[in-house]
Amino acid sequence: MMCAATAGMMGRSVVLIDHASKLAEKIRISGGGRCNFTNLNVRPECYLSQNPHFVKSALAQYTQHDFIKLVESHGLTYHEKTLGQLFCDQGSGAIIDMLKAEVDQVGVTWRMQTPIGAVRQVEGGFEVDAGDEIWCCASLVVATGGLSIPQIGATGIGYDLARQFGLAIVPTSAALVPLTFQPQDLWGELAGVALESAEVGAGKARFREDVLLTHKGVSGPAILQVSSYWQPGEPVHIDLLPDEDPAAFLEEANRDALLSTVLAERLPRRFAQALAAQFGEIKPLKQYLPRQVAEVATRLSDWQVVPSGTLGYKKAEVTKGGVDTKALNSKTLMARDVPGLFFIGEVVDVTGWLGGYNFQWAWSSGYVAGMNA
């Protein structure tokens, strides 16, 4: 929609073809229906790609502040939640209506519930089989998203089209997704326990936000963030007390109190009980050997677990990987070797952090392609 509205504003004749029956379902479900539509802190460093510089041009051509102005121009209001995340007060439906109004204002032709068949390169452009129609166009923009959340219609058609025209695909995987543990790593029944403001790391990435324990592993903002950086077989590091020296905390604690009671001063009670049980019979702190107390301190500052995997595309907010940015012009989003063919949004090998970054990439890349298509 962002691309269609921009191209229409530039005087182009545009048709927007969508196989879905409902418009912009991914916007509708975002942020629990409140739509975290951008982030005040958007910058290139908040995106993963084999070419980390690729996003710079598009993000500079259409910034988060440009989209905020668009939101305000439609009379919508918003609030900042945490870490620069902006949510629409009127809900995700209002953002969808705003974008649809922008599209309708420039006379774009809609084709909803229209499956895409063959796409052919012809003299002067492309032919697209869409339902029982054939559309001829000078420019074709692929804004089909990735593989995440297939239950609302996600498919791999964008990657298929890229391959058809000779563009490489960076291997895809689920990102911004909960991680799963082996049963022996779950420490009993702790589903629903929240660890507030833990620092979680995978590879060189570190994020400090909440962690939520689940029936199958871990979720919550910090885990979703590091899932984009985690590689199978590698450990995830969780600092349970990032503001404190665990050794000093244990040294100053009541030595007569049970270890679980001491830990519960800083951690949720159920989690403290389970953590204490990892060191054998739960006893008063004074009955533990110094090396055992040191082990507890180490576990508090660096709880390491090797996830068994992720919950996959069904639970992933985005898809990591996609159309190789080497094949695209960063200033226009057009394929270097296929004039008139553009790829934008999640289908490209650009993955943003949690918190409105991926929507901003959608707005920025859509605008850039719309200006150049």
Side-chain angles (χ1 to χ4, degrees), residues 104-171:
D104 289 340
Q105 183 178 330
V106 294
V108 170
T109 298
W110 289 88
R111 288 293 185 269
M112 295 294 294
Q113 292 184 269
T114 302
I116 298 293
V119 176
R120 296 172 293 277
Q121 189 172 19
V122 298
E123 186 175 350
F126 305 88
E127 283 184 352
V128 179
D129 292 347
D132 56 3
E133 299 174 321
I134 299 177
W135 289 91
C136 300
C137 56
S139 297
L140 178 64
V141 182
V142 180
T144 52
L147 298 170
S148 55
I149 322 182
Q151 55 270 39
I152 62 170
T155 74
I157 186 175
Y159 310 129
D160 295 337
L161 287 171
R163 292 188 188 99
Q164 176 186 330
F165 288 100
L167 281 69
I169 302 296
V170 175

Short mmCIF file of all heavy atoms in Angstrom, two decimals, residues 104-171:
data_model
loop_
_atom_site.label_atom_id
_atom_site.label_comp_id
_atom_site.label_asym_id
_atom_site.label_seq_id
_atom_site.Cartn_x
_atom_site.Cartn_y
_atom_site.Cartn_z
N ASP A 104 -6.40 4.91 -2.14
CA ASP A 104 -7.62 5.28 -2.87
C ASP A 104 -7.56 6.72 -3.39
O ASP A 104 -8.13 7.03 -4.44
CB ASP A 104 -8.84 5.09 -1.96
CG ASP A 104 -9.15 3.62 -1.70
OD1 ASP A 104 -8.69 2.77 -2.49
OD2 ASP A 104 -9.85 3.33 -0.71
N GLN A 105 -6.88 7.57 -2.65
CA GLN A 105 -6.81 8.98 -3.02
C GLN A 105 -6.15 9.20 -4.37
O GLN A 105 -6.45 10.16 -5.09
CB GLN A 105 -6.04 9.74 -1.92
CG GLN A 105 -5.94 11.25 -2.15
CD GLN A 105 -5.22 11.93 -0.99
OE1 GLN A 105 -5.28 11.49 0.15
NE2 GLN A 105 -4.53 13.01 -1.29
N VAL A 106 -5.25 8.28 -4.76
CA VAL A 106 -4.53 8.44 -6.04
C VAL A 106 -5.06 7.49 -7.12
O VAL A 106 -4.44 7.31 -8.16
CB VAL A 106 -3.01 8.26 -5.85
CG1 VAL A 106 -2.45 9.39 -4.99
CG2 VAL A 106 -2.67 6.91 -5.22
N GLY A 107 -6.22 6.90 -6.87
CA GLY A 107 -6.90 6.14 -7.91
C GLY A 107 -6.29 4.79 -8.24
O GLY A 107 -6.39 4.33 -9.39
N VAL A 108 -5.70 4.13 -7.27
CA VAL A 108 -5.14 2.80 -7.51
C VAL A 108 -6.27 1.79 -7.73
O VAL A 108 -7.30 1.84 -7.06
CB VAL A 108 -4.26 2.37 -6.32
CG1 VAL A 108 -3.87 0.90 -6.41
CG2 VAL A 108 -3.02 3.25 -6.23
N THR A 109 -6.07 0.85 -8.63
CA THR A 109 -7.02 -0.23 -8.87
C THR A 109 -6.72 -1.38 -7.93
O THR A 109 -5.57 -1.80 -7.81
CB THR A 109 -6.91 -0.73 -10.33
OG1 THR A 109 -7.23 0.35 -11.21
CG2 THR A 109 -7.86 -1.89 -10.59
N TRP A 110 -7.76 -1.88 -7.26
CA TRP A 110 -7.59 -2.97 -6.30
C TRP A 110 -7.99 -4.31 -6.91
O TRP A 110 -8.98 -4.40 -7.64
CB TRP A 110 -8.47 -2.75 -5.07
CG TRP A 110 -8.03 -1.65 -4.17
CD1 TRP A 110 -8.37 -0.33 -4.26
CD2 TRP A 110 -7.18 -1.76 -3.02
NE1 TRP A 110 -7.78 0.39 -3.25
CE2 TRP A 110 -7.05 -0.47 -2.47
CE3 TRP A 110 -6.52 -2.83 -2.40
CZ2 TRP A 110 -6.30 -0.22 -1.33
CZ3 TRP A 110 -5.78 -2.57 -1.27
CH2 TRP A 110 -5.65 -1.29 -0.74
N ARG A 111 -7.25 -5.35 -6.58
CA ARG A 111 -7.62 -6.72 -6.89
C ARG A 111 -7.32 -7.59 -5.68
O ARG A 111 -6.26 -8.16 -5.55
CB ARG A 111 -6.88 -7.23 -8.13
CG ARG A 111 -7.33 -6.63 -9.44
CD ARG A 111 -8.76 -7.06 -9.78
NE ARG A 111 -9.16 -6.58 -11.10
CZ ARG A 111 -9.77 -5.41 -11.32
NH1 ARG A 111 -10.03 -4.60 -10.29
NH2 ARG A 111 -10.12 -5.06 -12.54
N MET A 112 -8.28 -7.66 -4.76
CA MET A 112 -8.16 -8.53 -3.58
C MET A 112 -8.65 -9.93 -3.94
O MET A 112 -9.38 -10.12 -4.91
CB MET A 112 -8.96 -7.97 -2.41
CG MET A 112 -8.48 -6.63 -1.87
SD MET A 112 -6.83 -6.69 -1.11
CE MET A 112 -7.15 -7.75 0.32
N GLN A 113 -8.25 -10.91 -3.12
CA GLN A 113 -8.62 -12.31 -3.34
C GLN A 113 -8.31 -12.75 -4.77
O GLN A 113 -9.08 -13.46 -5.41
CB GLN A 113 -10.11 -12.53 -3.04
CG GLN A 113 -10.45 -12.39 -1.56
CD GLN A 113 -11.91 -12.70 -1.29
OE1 GLN A 113 -12.76 -11.80 -1.31
NE2 GLN A 113 -12.22 -13.95 -1.05
N THR A 114 -7.16 -12.30 -5.25
CA THR A 114 -6.76 -12.59 -6.62
C THR A 114 -5.44 -13.33 -6.62
O THR A 114 -4.39 -12.73 -6.32
CB THR A 114 -6.64 -11.28 -7.43
OG1 THR A 114 -7.89 -10.58 -7.40
CG2 THR A 114 -6.25 -11.56 -8.86
N PRO A 115 -5.45 -14.61 -6.94
CA PRO A 115 -4.19 -15.37 -6.95
C PRO A 115 -3.30 -14.99 -8.13
O PRO A 115 -3.78 -14.68 -9.22
CB PRO A 115 -4.67 -16.83 -7.07
CG PRO A 115 -5.99 -16.73 -7.77
CD PRO A 115 -6.61 -15.45 -7.28
N ILE A 116 -2.01 -14.99 -7.87
CA ILE A 116 -1.03 -14.71 -8.92
C ILE A 116 -0.63 -16.03 -9.59
O ILE A 116 -0.27 -16.99 -8.91
CB ILE A 116 0.23 -14.04 -8.33
CG1 ILE A 116 -0.13 -12.69 -7.69
CG2 ILE A 116 1.29 -13.84 -9.41
CD1 ILE A 116 -0.59 -11.65 -8.67
N GLY A 117 -0.70 -16.04 -10.90
CA GLY A 117 -0.25 -17.20 -11.65
C GLY A 117 1.13 -16.94 -12.21
O GLY A 117 2.06 -16.56 -11.50
N ALA A 118 1.27 -17.10 -13.51
CA ALA A 118 2.57 -16.90 -14.15
C ALA A 118 2.91 -15.42 -14.24
O ALA A 118 2.04 -14.56 -14.37
CB ALA A 118 2.55 -17.52 -15.55
N VAL A 119 4.20 -15.14 -14.17
CA VAL A 119 4.73 -13.80 -14.39
C VAL A 119 5.77 -13.92 -15.50
O VAL A 119 6.68 -14.74 -15.42
CB VAL A 119 5.38 -13.23 -13.11
CG1 VAL A 119 6.02 -11.88 -13.40
CG2 VAL A 119 4.35 -13.11 -12.00
N ARG A 120 5.62 -13.11 -16.55
CA ARG A 120 6.51 -13.20 -17.70
C ARG A 120 7.15 -11.85 -17.99
O ARG A 120 6.49 -10.82 -17.89
CB ARG A 120 5.73 -13.66 -18.94
CG ARG A 120 5.14 -15.05 -18.84
CD ARG A 120 4.22 -15.35 -20.02
NE ARG A 120 3.03 -14.51 -20.01
CZ ARG A 120 1.92 -14.78 -19.29
NH1 ARG A 120 1.88 -15.87 -18.55
NH2 ARG A 120 0.89 -13.97 -19.35
N GLN A 121 8.42 -11.89 -18.34
CA GLN A 121 9.08 -10.68 -18.81
C GLN A 121 8.84 -10.57 -20.32
O GLN A 121 9.07 -11.53 -21.06
CB GLN A 121 10.57 -10.72 -18.52
CG GLN A 121 11.29 -9.41 -18.79
CD GLN A 121 12.73 -9.42 -18.32
OE1 GLN A 121 13.31 -10.49 -18.11
NE2 GLN A 121 13.32 -8.25 -18.15
N VAL A 122 8.30 -9.43 -20.75
CA VAL A 122 8.00 -9.20 -22.16
C VAL A 122 8.65 -7.89 -22.58
O VAL A 122 9.18 -7.14 -21.75
CB VAL A 122 6.47 -9.14 -22.39
CG1 VAL A 122 5.82 -10.48 -22.03
CG2 VAL A 122 5.84 -8.00 -21.58
N GLU A 123 8.59 -7.61 -23.86
CA GLU A 123 9.15 -6.36 -24.35
C GLU A 123 8.45 -5.18 -23.69
O GLU A 123 7.23 -5.08 -23.70
CB GLU A 123 9.00 -6.27 -25.88
CG GLU A 123 9.70 -5.06 -26.47
CD GLU A 123 9.64 -5.03 -27.99
OE1 GLU A 123 9.24 -6.04 -28.59
OE2 GLU A 123 9.99 -3.98 -28.56
N GLY A 124 9.22 -4.32 -23.05
CA GLY A 124 8.64 -3.15 -22.40
C GLY A 124 8.19 -3.38 -20.98
O GLY A 124 7.69 -2.45 -20.34
N GLY A 125 8.36 -4.60 -20.47
CA GLY A 125 7.96 -4.81 -19.08
C GLY A 125 7.60 -6.24 -18.74
O GLY A 125 8.36 -7.17 -19.03
N PHE A 126 6.40 -6.42 -18.17
CA PHE A 126 6.01 -7.72 -17.64
C PHE A 126 4.54 -8.00 -17.92
O PHE A 126 3.73 -7.08 -18.08
CB PHE A 126 6.25 -7.77 -16.12
CG PHE A 126 7.64 -7.44 -15.71
CD1 PHE A 126 8.01 -6.11 -15.47
CD2 PHE A 126 8.60 -8.43 -15.56
CE1 PHE A 126 9.30 -5.79 -15.10
CE2 PHE A 126 9.89 -8.10 -15.20
CZ PHE A 126 10.25 -6.78 -14.98
N GLU A 127 4.20 -9.28 -17.94
CA GLU A 127 2.81 -9.72 -17.94
C GLU A 127 2.57 -10.55 -16.68
O GLU A 127 3.39 -11.40 -16.33
CB GLU A 127 2.50 -10.59 -19.16
CG GLU A 127 2.32 -9.82 -20.45
CD GLU A 127 1.94 -10.73 -21.60
OE1 GLU A 127 1.95 -11.98 -21.41
OE2 GLU A 127 1.61 -10.19 -22.68
N VAL A 128 1.46 -10.29 -16.01
CA VAL A 128 1.14 -10.99 -14.78
C VAL A 128 -0.24 -11.63 -14.92
O VAL A 128 -1.23 -10.93 -15.18
CB VAL A 128 1.13 -10.03 -13.57
CG1 VAL A 128 0.77 -10.77 -12.29
CG2 VAL A 128 2.50 -9.35 -13.42
N ASP A 129 -0.30 -12.94 -14.77
CA ASP A 129 -1.58 -13.63 -14.73
C ASP A 129 -2.14 -13.50 -13.33
O ASP A 129 -1.56 -14.04 -12.36
CB ASP A 129 -1.41 -15.11 -15.10
CG ASP A 129 -1.00 -15.31 -16.55
OD1 ASP A 129 -1.10 -14.34 -17.33
OD2 ASP A 129 -0.59 -16.44 -16.90
N ALA A 130 -3.25 -12.81 -13.19
CA ALA A 130 -3.86 -12.56 -11.88
C ALA A 130 -5.34 -12.94 -11.95
O ALA A 130 -6.14 -12.24 -12.56
CB ALA A 130 -3.71 -11.10 -11.49
N GLY A 131 -5.68 -14.07 -11.35
CA GLY A 131 -7.04 -14.55 -11.47
C GLY A 131 -7.34 -14.87 -12.92
O GLY A 131 -6.57 -15.58 -13.59
N ASP A 132 -8.42 -14.33 -13.44
CA ASP A 132 -8.77 -14.56 -14.85
C ASP A 132 -8.36 -13.38 -15.72
O ASP A 132 -8.85 -13.25 -16.85
CB ASP A 132 -10.27 -14.84 -14.99
CG ASP A 132 -11.14 -13.73 -14.41
OD1 ASP A 132 -10.58 -12.72 -13.95
OD2 ASP A 132 -12.38 -13.88 -14.41
N GLU A 133 -7.46 -12.53 -15.20
CA GLU A 133 -7.00 -11.37 -15.96
C GLU A 133 -5.50 -11.47 -16.23
O GLU A 133 -4.77 -12.17 -15.53
CB GLU A 133 -7.26 -10.07 -15.18
CG GLU A 133 -8.73 -9.80 -14.87
CD GLU A 133 -8.92 -8.58 -13.99
OE1 GLU A 133 -8.10 -8.39 -13.05
OE2 GLU A 133 -9.88 -7.83 -14.22
N ILE A 134 -5.05 -10.76 -17.25
CA ILE A 134 -3.62 -10.61 -17.52
C ILE A 134 -3.31 -9.12 -17.50
O ILE A 134 -3.91 -8.35 -18.25
CB ILE A 134 -3.23 -11.21 -18.89
CG1 ILE A 134 -3.53 -12.72 -18.92
CG2 ILE A 134 -1.75 -10.94 -19.16
CD1 ILE A 134 -3.24 -13.34 -20.27
N TRP A 135 -2.40 -8.74 -16.62
CA TRP A 135 -2.02 -7.33 -16.49
C TRP A 135 -0.66 -7.13 -17.14
O TRP A 135 0.27 -7.90 -16.91
CB TRP A 135 -1.96 -6.91 -15.03
CG TRP A 135 -3.31 -6.82 -14.39
CD1 TRP A 135 -3.98 -7.82 -13.73
CD2 TRP A 135 -4.16 -5.69 -14.37
NE1 TRP A 135 -5.20 -7.36 -13.29
CE2 TRP A 135 -5.34 -6.05 -13.67
CE3 TRP A 135 -4.06 -4.39 -14.87
CZ2 TRP A 135 -6.39 -5.17 -13.46
CZ3 TRP A 135 -5.11 -3.51 -14.65
CH2 TRP A 135 -6.26 -3.90 -13.96
N CYS A 136 -0.54 -6.09 -17.93
CA CYS A 136 0.73 -5.71 -18.54
C CYS A 136 1.25 -4.46 -17.84
O CYS A 136 0.49 -3.52 -17.59
CB CYS A 136 0.54 -5.42 -20.04
SG CYS A 136 -0.09 -6.84 -20.96
N CYS A 137 2.54 -4.45 -17.52
CA CYS A 137 3.07 -3.32 -16.77
C CYS A 137 4.52 -3.05 -17.15
O CYS A 137 5.25 -3.96 -17.57
CB CYS A 137 2.98 -3.58 -15.27
SG CYS A 137 3.79 -5.10 -14.72
N ALA A 138 4.93 -1.81 -16.99
CA ALA A 138 6.32 -1.43 -17.21
C ALA A 138 7.17 -1.75 -15.98
O ALA A 138 8.35 -2.07 -16.10
CB ALA A 138 6.41 0.06 -17.53
N SER A 139 6.56 -1.67 -14.80
CA SER A 139 7.27 -1.94 -13.55
C SER A 139 6.46 -2.92 -12.71
O SER A 139 5.22 -2.82 -12.64
CB SER A 139 7.49 -0.66 -12.75
OG SER A 139 8.32 0.25 -13.46
N LEU A 140 7.16 -3.84 -12.07
CA LEU A 140 6.52 -4.84 -11.20
C LEU A 140 7.20 -4.80 -9.84
O LEU A 140 8.41 -4.99 -9.75
CB LEU A 140 6.65 -6.23 -11.81
CG LEU A 140 6.06 -7.39 -11.00
CD1 LEU A 140 4.56 -7.24 -10.85
CD2 LEU A 140 6.41 -8.73 -11.65
N VAL A 141 6.43 -4.54 -8.80
CA VAL A 141 6.98 -4.48 -7.44
C VAL A 141 6.49 -5.70 -6.65
O VAL A 141 5.27 -5.92 -6.55
CB VAL A 141 6.55 -3.19 -6.71
CG1 VAL A 141 7.18 -3.14 -5.32
CG2 VAL A 141 6.94 -1.96 -7.51
N VAL A 142 7.41 -6.47 -6.12
CA VAL A 142 7.09 -7.65 -5.32
C VAL A 142 7.16 -7.27 -3.85
O VAL A 142 8.23 -6.99 -3.31
CB VAL A 142 8.06 -8.81 -5.64
CG1 VAL A 142 7.71 -10.04 -4.80
CG2 VAL A 142 8.02 -9.14 -7.13
N ALA A 143 5.99 -7.24 -3.21
CA ALA A 143 5.89 -6.86 -1.80
C ALA A 143 5.12 -7.94 -1.05
O ALA A 143 4.15 -7.68 -0.35
CB ALA A 143 5.18 -5.51 -1.67
N THR A 144 5.56 -9.18 -1.23
CA THR A 144 4.79 -10.34 -0.80
C THR A 144 5.12 -10.84 0.59
O THR A 144 4.54 -11.84 1.04
CB THR A 144 5.01 -11.49 -1.79
OG1 THR A 144 6.42 -11.68 -1.97
CG2 THR A 144 4.40 -11.15 -3.15
N GLY A 145 6.06 -10.20 1.29
CA GLY A 145 6.41 -10.64 2.63
C GLY A 145 7.22 -11.91 2.63
O GLY A 145 7.67 -12.40 1.59
N GLY A 146 7.41 -12.48 3.83
CA GLY A 146 8.20 -13.70 3.99
C GLY A 146 7.33 -14.88 4.34
O GLY A 146 6.15 -14.94 3.97
N LEU A 147 7.91 -15.83 5.07
CA LEU A 147 7.23 -17.08 5.41
C LEU A 147 6.58 -17.06 6.78
O LEU A 147 5.90 -18.02 7.15
CB LEU A 147 8.24 -18.24 5.34
CG LEU A 147 8.88 -18.48 3.96
CD1 LEU A 147 10.03 -19.47 4.08
CD2 LEU A 147 7.84 -18.98 2.97
N SER A 148 6.77 -15.97 7.54
CA SER A 148 6.25 -15.94 8.91
C SER A 148 4.74 -15.80 8.92
O SER A 148 4.13 -15.12 8.10
CB SER A 148 6.89 -14.79 9.69
OG SER A 148 6.70 -13.57 9.00
N ILE A 149 4.13 -16.50 9.87
CA ILE A 149 2.69 -16.51 10.11
C ILE A 149 1.92 -16.99 8.88
O ILE A 149 1.10 -16.27 8.30
CB ILE A 149 2.16 -15.14 10.60
CG1 ILE A 149 3.15 -14.47 11.55
CG2 ILE A 149 0.80 -15.32 11.30
CD1 ILE A 149 2.70 -13.16 12.12
N PRO A 150 2.16 -18.23 8.43
CA PRO A 150 1.46 -18.75 7.26
C PRO A 150 -0.05 -18.84 7.45
O PRO A 150 -0.80 -18.84 6.47
CB PRO A 150 2.08 -20.14 7.07
CG PRO A 150 2.63 -20.50 8.41
CD PRO A 150 3.08 -19.21 9.02
N GLN A 151 -0.50 -18.88 8.70
CA GLN A 151 -1.93 -19.00 8.97
C GLN A 151 -2.72 -17.78 8.52
O GLN A 151 -3.95 -17.85 8.40
CB GLN A 151 -2.20 -19.30 10.45
CG GLN A 151 -1.59 -18.32 11.44
CD GLN A 151 -0.20 -18.70 11.89
OE1 GLN A 151 0.62 -19.16 11.10
NE2 GLN A 151 0.09 -18.47 13.18
N ILE A 152 -2.04 -16.65 8.25
CA ILE A 152 -2.76 -15.49 7.70
C ILE A 152 -2.39 -15.26 6.24
O ILE A 152 -2.64 -14.19 5.70
CB ILE A 152 -2.53 -14.22 8.54
CG1 ILE A 152 -1.05 -13.81 8.54
CG2 ILE A 152 -3.06 -14.39 9.96
CD1 ILE A 152 -0.80 -12.44 9.15
N GLY A 153 -1.77 -16.28 5.62
CA GLY A 153 -1.59 -16.21 4.18
C GLY A 153 -0.18 -16.07 3.66
O GLY A 153 0.01 -15.93 2.45
N ALA A 154 0.83 -16.10 4.54
CA ALA A 154 2.20 -15.95 4.06
C ALA A 154 2.61 -17.12 3.18
O ALA A 154 2.31 -18.28 3.48
CB ALA A 154 3.15 -15.86 5.25
N THR A 155 3.28 -16.83 2.08
CA THR A 155 3.78 -17.86 1.17
C THR A 155 5.19 -17.48 0.71
O THR A 155 5.67 -16.38 1.00
CB THR A 155 2.90 -18.02 -0.09
OG1 THR A 155 3.12 -16.90 -0.97
CG2 THR A 155 1.42 -18.10 0.28
N GLY A 156 5.81 -18.37 -0.04
CA GLY A 156 7.15 -18.11 -0.56
C GLY A 156 7.15 -17.60 -1.98
O GLY A 156 8.20 -17.66 -2.65
N ILE A 157 6.03 -17.06 -2.46
CA ILE A 157 5.94 -16.65 -3.86
C ILE A 157 6.99 -15.59 -4.22
O ILE A 157 7.51 -15.58 -5.34
CB ILE A 157 4.51 -16.13 -4.20
CG1 ILE A 157 4.41 -15.85 -5.71
CG2 ILE A 157 4.15 -14.92 -3.37
CD1 ILE A 157 3.01 -15.45 -6.16
N GLY A 158 7.31 -14.71 -3.29
CA GLY A 158 8.30 -13.68 -3.58
C GLY A 158 9.66 -14.26 -3.88
O GLY A 158 10.38 -13.80 -4.78
N TYR A 159 10.05 -15.31 -3.13
CA TYR A 159 11.32 -15.96 -3.38
C TYR A 159 11.29 -16.70 -4.72
O TYR A 159 12.29 -16.72 -5.44
CB TYR A 159 11.65 -16.93 -2.24
CG TYR A 159 11.52 -16.33 -0.86
CD1 TYR A 159 10.78 -16.95 0.14
CD2 TYR A 159 12.13 -15.11 -0.55
CE1 TYR A 159 10.66 -16.41 1.40
CE2 TYR A 159 12.01 -14.55 0.71
CZ TYR A 159 11.27 -15.20 1.68
OH TYR A 159 11.15 -14.66 2.93
N ASP A 160 10.14 -17.31 -5.02
CA ASP A 160 10.02 -18.01 -6.31
C ASP A 160 10.19 -17.05 -7.48
O ASP A 160 10.87 -17.37 -8.47
CB ASP A 160 8.64 -18.69 -6.40
CG ASP A 160 8.46 -19.79 -5.37
OD1 ASP A 160 9.48 -20.32 -4.88
OD2 ASP A 160 7.30 -20.12 -5.04
N LEU A 161 9.60 -15.86 -7.36
CA LEU A 161 9.73 -14.87 -8.43
C LEU A 161 11.17 -14.39 -8.56
O LEU A 161 11.69 -14.20 -9.67
CB LEU A 161 8.79 -13.69 -8.17
CG LEU A 161 7.30 -13.96 -8.40
CD1 LEU A 161 6.46 -12.79 -7.89
CD2 LEU A 161 7.03 -14.19 -9.89
N ALA A 162 11.82 -14.20 -7.42
CA ALA A 162 13.22 -13.77 -7.46
C ALA A 162 14.08 -14.81 -8.17
O ALA A 162 14.89 -14.47 -9.05
CB ALA A 162 13.73 -13.53 -6.04
N ARG A 163 13.89 -16.06 -7.81
CA ARG A 163 14.67 -17.13 -8.46
C ARG A 163 14.37 -17.19 -9.96
O ARG A 163 15.26 -17.42 -10.78
CB ARG A 163 14.36 -18.47 -7.80
CG ARG A 163 14.86 -18.60 -6.36
CD ARG A 163 14.67 -20.02 -5.86
NE ARG A 163 14.97 -20.13 -4.43
CZ ARG A 163 14.04 -20.12 -3.48
NH1 ARG A 163 12.76 -20.00 -3.79
NH2 ARG A 163 14.39 -20.23 -2.21
N GLN A 164 13.09 -17.02 -10.31
CA GLN A 164 12.70 -17.06 -11.72
C GLN A 164 13.49 -16.06 -12.55
O GLN A 164 13.86 -16.33 -13.69
CB GLN A 164 11.20 -16.79 -11.85
CG GLN A 164 10.71 -16.70 -13.30
CD GLN A 164 9.25 -16.30 -13.38
OE1 GLN A 164 8.46 -16.59 -12.49
NE2 GLN A 164 8.89 -15.61 -14.46
N PHE A 165 13.77 -14.90 -11.95
CA PHE A 165 14.48 -13.85 -12.69
C PHE A 165 15.98 -13.83 -12.37
O PHE A 165 16.67 -12.86 -12.66
CB PHE A 165 13.84 -12.50 -12.40
CG PHE A 165 12.49 -12.34 -13.05
CD1 PHE A 165 11.33 -12.51 -12.31
CD2 PHE A 165 12.38 -12.04 -14.40
CE1 PHE A 165 10.08 -12.38 -12.90
CE2 PHE A 165 11.15 -11.91 -15.00
CZ PHE A 165 9.99 -12.08 -14.26
N GLY A 166 16.46 -14.90 -11.75
CA GLY A 166 17.90 -15.06 -11.57
C GLY A 166 18.49 -14.40 -10.35
O GLY A 166 19.72 -14.30 -10.23
N LEU A 167 17.65 -13.95 -9.39
CA LEU A 167 18.17 -13.32 -8.18
C LEU A 167 18.42 -14.39 -7.12
O LEU A 167 17.63 -15.33 -6.96
CB LEU A 167 17.18 -12.29 -7.63
CG LEU A 167 17.15 -10.92 -8.31
CD1 LEU A 167 16.58 -11.01 -9.72
CD2 LEU A 167 16.32 -9.94 -7.48
N ALA A 168 19.52 -14.25 -6.40
CA ALA A 168 19.87 -15.20 -5.35
C ALA A 168 19.02 -14.97 -4.10
O ALA A 168 18.55 -13.85 -3.84
CB ALA A 168 21.35 -15.08 -5.00
N ILE A 169 18.84 -16.03 -3.31
CA ILE A 169 18.10 -15.96 -2.06
C ILE A 169 19.03 -16.32 -0.91
O ILE A 169 19.65 -17.40 -0.90
CB ILE A 169 16.90 -16.94 -2.05
CG1 ILE A 169 15.95 -16.63 -3.22
CG2 ILE A 169 16.16 -16.88 -0.72
CD1 ILE A 169 15.28 -15.28 -3.15
N VAL A 170 19.15 -15.43 0.06
CA VAL A 170 19.85 -15.75 1.30
C VAL A 170 18.97 -16.72 2.08
O VAL A 170 17.77 -16.47 2.24
CB VAL A 170 20.11 -14.48 2.13
CG1 VAL A 170 20.73 -14.82 3.48
CG2 VAL A 170 21.00 -13.51 1.35
N PRO A 171 19.51 -17.86 2.54
CA PRO A 171 18.68 -18.86 3.24
C PRO A 171 17.82 -18.23 4.32
O PRO A 171 18.29 -17.37 5.08
CB PRO A 171 19.72 -19.81 3.83
CG PRO A 171 20.89 -19.72 2.89
CD PRO A 171 20.92 -18.29 2.44
#
